[in-house]
Amino acid sequence: MTVFDELKARGLLAQLTDEEEIKELVNNGKAVFYIGFDPTADSLHVGHFMALCLMKRLQMAGNKPIALIGGGTAMIGDPSGRTDMRSMMTVETIDHNCECFKEQMSKFIDFSDGKALMVNNAEWLRDLNYIEFIRDIGAHFSVNRMLTAECYKQRMEKGLSFLEFNYMIMQSYDFLALYERYGCNMQFGGDDQWSNMLGGTELIRRKLGKDAYAMTINLLLNSEGKKMGKTQKGAVWLDPKKTSPFEFYQYWRNIGDADVLKCIRMLTFIPLEEIDKMDTWEGSQLNTAKEILAFELTKMIHGEEEATKAQEAAKALFGGAGNSADMPTATLTDEDLTDGSIDILSILVKSGLVPTRNEGRRAVEQGGVSVDGEKVTDIKAVYTKEQMAGDGIVVKRGKKNFRKVIAE
């Protein structure tokens, strides 16, 4: 199976241009491709995971990835998928986020010896001469055609600022700059980026001639991938300070039955032959598949040692076996206690399982709270320092949220 065939078999490709040329480049390790990352936070999240996996997969086949950090475009904000205008970030915040991205990607992609590049589009966007840019680049774009793009159409009723209207031109210019500076001949992106990506391909060919080598590939389910990065409590981050390896593991362990095999196929590096055998799995076998998915992805991001710890902690909590030492832990001090004890609502708040006592009260009254496996029915239940000493107590809210609570 060729590299291109494997990408299709794993469900990674949806739309593309110049299919035969793309096959030739990818299969022979001649693709110099980029994927863009907007630094809107100081950490990547699992919504970026598919793009990172694709970069790694193609790099392993000899192709050269370019991770484009949007230090310039982030000053405008991508209107795609938005119902309102993004908050403006300072240059200092953008630059800080870019540095955080670099550190995380370096653990995932091999940037040694020029095998991959990390580029910030602030290099060519922040110092643009506006008049020159509009004359040189803007002349190649039709406003009428731009307004037919989905990323703009969905915003027309509520209002689209001229600032955001520039985003497509800026992203298209990125491809041109990367083509001229680094020989980039291919771009990848999600469904929501398709119009912008086509704009980049057309800009290169109009400006440099129809024979200019510029391809576009649309990454299947990237828009769904972004949704995968969101939970009721917010984003699932790749930074262990924001989302612990255990919480990261549990996120994938709790993925829906309908999605687990799809995610294994798209995101892991397990051979397709092994995955194909899982297609007939059902019932308890799907739980095994979820454990495989969670372990493989946690190992990829946090290393095998942390993945093993997370797996052991999960077994200790949900299976009655394994090591509980690596569960998420909340430590209480004497200042948190009253006369050497603390009520259940305070435990829920101080451990971070609920934001307020009122929400904790509702959780208890609805039967959603347990301590060491026993359901708590009294909102006035109290626990002493002695009970929480040593290995502490395991407090659970719902099926997936819990903390080991220890009193010092």
Side-chain angles (χ1 to χ4, degrees), residues 182-329:
Y182 305 106
C184 180
N185 51 29
M186 197 176 296
Q187 59 178 331
F188 288 69
D191 295 341
D192 57 339
Q193 298 295 314
W194 185 242
S195 297
N196 297 342
M197 293 161 64
L198 288 177
T201 300
E202 292 175 6
L203 174 62
I204 291 175
R205 293 179 179 176
R206 287 176 182 172
K207 193 164 174 51
L208 304 180
K210 292 184 179 179
D211 294 332
Y213 228 30
M215 317 298 175
T216 302
I217 289 185
N218 191 19
L219 181 59
L220 179 65
L221 294 175
N222 196 31
S223 55
E224 182 174 321
K226 290 181 180 179
K227 295 176 185 177
M228 288 195 297
K230 302 291 183 182
T231 68
Q232 291 181 351
K233 296 179 67 177
V236 177
W237 305 101
L238 305 193
D239 183 347
K241 295 177 183 177
K242 288 176 170 286
T243 299
S244 72
F246 180 83
E247 290 169 321
F248 186 84
Y249 176 94
Q250 280 301 112
Y251 172 77
W252 295 107
R253 173 62 182 82
N254 292 320
I255 202 163
D257 289 355
D259 294 325
V260 59
L261 292 179
K262 178 173 63 178
C263 288
I264 288 178
R265 194 175 297 276
M266 292 190 297
L267 302 179
T268 76
F269 290 80
I270 297 173
L272 284 170
E273 295 78 9
E274 294 183 29
I275 300 174
D276 289 341
K277 295 176 183 178
M278 300 179 191
D279 283 338
T280 59
W281 287 11
E282 55 187 21
S284 62
Q285 289 178 306
L286 290 178
N287 287 329
T288 301
K290 293 177 186 180
E291 291 173 0
I292 292 172
L293 173 69
F295 184 84
E296 290 296 321
L297 298 190
T298 306
K299 180 175 71 173
M300 199 181 302
I301 295 299
H302 299 295
E304 187 166 1
E305 181 179 353
E306 292 297 332
T308 301
K309 288 180 181 179
Q311 189 176 63
E312 288 295 310
K315 290 179 180 178
L317 182 65
F318 300 108
N323 186 356
S324 65
D326 297 297
M327 287 185 189
T329 301

Side-chain angles (χ1 to χ4, degrees), residues 94-106:
I94 292 171
D95 289 346
H96 170 73
N97 293 349
C98 288
E99 288 302 314
C100 294
F101 278 24
K102 287 181 181 179
E103 182 178 353
Q104 290 179 355
M105 287 183 187
S106 294

